[in-house]
Amino acid sequence: MPATPKESKTAAAQSAVGQPKLSNRTFRAVFAGLSMLALTAAPDRALAQSYPTRPITIIVPSAAGGPTDALTRVIAEYMREALGQPVVVENQGTAGGTVAVGRVAHAAPDGYTLCIGQWGNFVINQAVYPLQYDLVNDFSPIALLASNPQLIVARKDFPAANLKGLIAWLKDHPGKASQGTAGAGSPAHVGGAYFQQTTGTSFQFVPYRGAAPAMLDLLGGRIDLLFDQASNSLPHLRNGEIKAFAVTASSRLPGAPEIPTVDQAGLPGFYVSVWHGMWAPKGTPAPVIAKLNAAVVAALNDATVRKHFAALGQQIPPREQQSPEALAAYQRAEAAKWWPIVKAANISASLH
């Protein structure tokens, strides 16, 4: 039977027994705290709703014309359309990209200064340079963009015909060959040093300001070797201007299936992937990061973008690996793998 009005009042009174009552002072404190929380969250929500209202700058920590620059310009064009604002690409390759990445680390965390960098810029440099920022902890990850295994390539008239032949030639001529790099601790440098550790060979490293100028000297026969991103080498391979010995991955490149993997060429397990990601300064509001991530994810799913990436030899990660959280986890795992290798190779550099 339903309770009578009298019974309802009695039950309500009994349920209130033992319940603490808020004093006026406590109530005012709670109300003030909730109001402050609402005021704190409001700017983030407002920023996300209006963002972006002006041009966005993407800093590229390498020279113009290289693989990171090429990838960035494809992404930037799509983001311009998706976000409705100009996206300006700025190249700054000084000191292995450390200066450019530092600009982003110290920029305002408002979503208007971003960085697209690669494995060298956001993992290796922490073990090579005395940085004034922390690559793992001082940035807000946005998305993993692509991975790009290295190709072991040589000038077209280099005497070795395959990877085993290259290793044999280097052992017979220690210190005689030269390999171009984009500076101390660059992916090419680390790949070459890892190769020396693995094969017991030695050759000279020649530093350049980026992958593009190093390739020019390889084409001109002024250096012998490159451990290069596939995206940078494939056009020259297709033109017969250089030769390739292997791809540093467990599977062949879809865009160059004729190049054997290191497993097939006689150096099993020698895997090096120059992956790219996008970051913002630490403290960038989560709604802005989410908006940027959505634009990047949409770009990576666009048929035209995928076609451009394939032509560059870039492999787009699965959708579940395109989140900010996935990039953060992957970056930490790569640091755990590569920092000991870099230290063992005694690779270091100053910022001057």
Side-chain angles (χ1 to χ4, degrees), residues 93-214:
T94 308
T98 57
V99 176
V101 174
R103 277 182 61 191
V104 180
H106 299 111
D110 54 12
Y112 290 98
T113 303
L114 312 174
C115 185
I116 288 182
Q118 37 82 348
W119 164 68
N121 309 132
F122 278 86
V123 172
I124 302 301
N125 281 356
Q126 188 80 34
V128 174
Y129 291 93
L131 301 179
Q132 300 303 308
Y133 50 86
D134 189 297
L135 288 172
V136 174
N137 297 308
D138 287 349
F139 296 87
S140 294
I142 296 171
L144 180 64
L145 303 177
S147 61
N148 190 211
Q150 287 187 326
L151 289 178
I152 304 173
V153 300
R155 55 182 169 84
K156 64 180 180 181
D157 56 350
F158 193 83
N162 51 45
L163 186 60
K164 287 184 177 180
L166 170 65
I167 295 171
W169 191 95
L170 293 172
K171 287 183 175 180
D172 289 341
H173 303 82
K176 298 298 183 182
S178 58
Q179 185 221 311
T181 77
S186 64
H189 188 190
V190 173
Y194 186 34
F195 183 84
Q196 289 181 334
Q197 291 177 22
T198 305
T199 61
T201 57
S202 66
F203 42 83
Q204 302 174 46
F205 292 110
V206 182
Y208 292 86
R209 292 181 64 85

Side-chain angles (χ1 to χ4, degrees), residues 14-52:
Q14 289 175 342
S15 67
V17 174
Q19 298 296 320
K21 292 184 178 180
L22 293 177
S23 67
N24 288 338
R25 173 185 251 176
T26 303
F27 180 81
R28 286 196 297 271
V30 171
F31 181 79
L34 292 173
S35 300
M36 183 62 69
L37 181 63
L39 288 172
T40 302
D44 279 3
R45 287 198 300 269
L47 176 62
Q49 289 170 357
S50 62
Y51 173 86

